[in-house]
Amino acid sequence: VLFGIAIYIVFIIFKINLVPLLASAGIIGIILGIGTRPFIEDIIAGFFLITQATVSIGDYVNVGPGIEGTIEDIKFRTITIRGVNGALHIVSTGQVKQVTNYSRRESVLYVDFPVKGGQNIDKILEILRRELLVMIEGKKDQYTISPYSKVWGIENIQVPNCVVIRVILMTQYSLHEEVDKVYRYNILKQFEK
């Protein structure tokens, strides 16, 4: 306070008017505050993204409409996401308001098999279980399927003459399509035998 009063007295002695100087400093401060607001928001949001470990590199996430994919890089100001179609999304961390992280736990995939009525249901269920066990143990494919996956059983009986059998596969969300296709393919090959 004494230092400030001393400087003010020096300005009065040299007859320097402080009002225009303080006014221009205030305007410059307002301009800088408005201009740096997005930058500061990005830094703070990036800090919370990194320190709270809500997402990490390699996670499959959705951060908004049309922005879904695997995280390739996280910085204080930006998050880089590689989309399924290969597009590279670079999003400022200040604009990430909601994150859906599909990689934190295994997600559930329902696979339904319509079977013509009159078939040996026990034999079909056995084939589904056996192929599921083969995929869980990883003997054929490189896909990781949880041992909690199971053949749910008869889901529905449809008219005319159709039974729907459901299998629950638990795997990474990003592998849903591949696991679904591989399991259906393997089952069809078993049915052909």
Side-chain angles (χ1 to χ4, degrees), residues 26-41:
I27 292 171
I28 290 171
I30 290 171
I31 292 171
L32 285 175
I34 291 172
T36 59
R37 182 174 170 237
F39 175 77
I40 293 170
E41 280 180 358

Side-chain angles (χ1 to χ4, degrees), residues 13 40 77 104 136 180 182:
I13 292 173
I40 293 170
R77 290 208 56 223
R104 288 298 164 170
I136 288 171
D180 185 19
V182 168

Side-chain angles (χ1 to χ4, degrees), residues 78-119:
T78 59
I79 182 170
T80 306
I81 300 171
R82 176 75 61 184
V84 177
N85 60 357
L88 189 65
H89 304 283
I90 301 170
V91 182
S92 68
T93 54
Q95 295 187 358
V96 176
K97 303 297 181 201
Q98 178 180 345
V99 176
T100 305
N101 191 339
Y102 297 105
S103 298
R104 288 298 164 170
R105 299 204 174 179
E106 294 169 331
S107 61
V108 177
L109 170 65
Y110 297 104
V111 183
D112 290 337
F113 291 97
V115 178
K116 185 177 178 182
Q119 303 294 317

Side-chain angles (χ1 to χ4, degrees), residues 131-160:
E131 193 56 40
L132 183 60
L133 186 61
V134 168
M135 287 185 74
I136 288 171
E137 293 173 354
K139 292 179 180 175
K140 284 187 180 178
D141 304 299
Q142 69 278 11
Y143 303 111
T144 54
I145 297 175
S146 169
Y148 296 109
S149 303
K150 62 183 173 182
V151 176
W152 187 259
I154 297 173
E155 176 66 20
N156 196 355
I157 298 174
Q158 298 176 347
V159 178

Side-chain angles (χ1 to χ4, degrees), residues 161-173:
N161 206 16
C162 181
V163 176
V164 178
I165 300 174
R166 175 165 284 182
V167 177
I168 298 176
L169 299 174
M170 297 182 73
T171 185
Q172 296 174 8
Y173 181 82

Side-chain angles (χ1 to χ4, degrees), residues 62-83:
N62 182 327
V63 294
I67 304 175
E68 183 173 314
T70 304
I71 296 178
E72 289 191 350
D73 193 19
I74 301 173
K75 296 183 179 169
F76 279 108
R77 290 208 56 223
T78 59
I79 182 170
T80 306
I81 300 171
R82 176 75 61 184

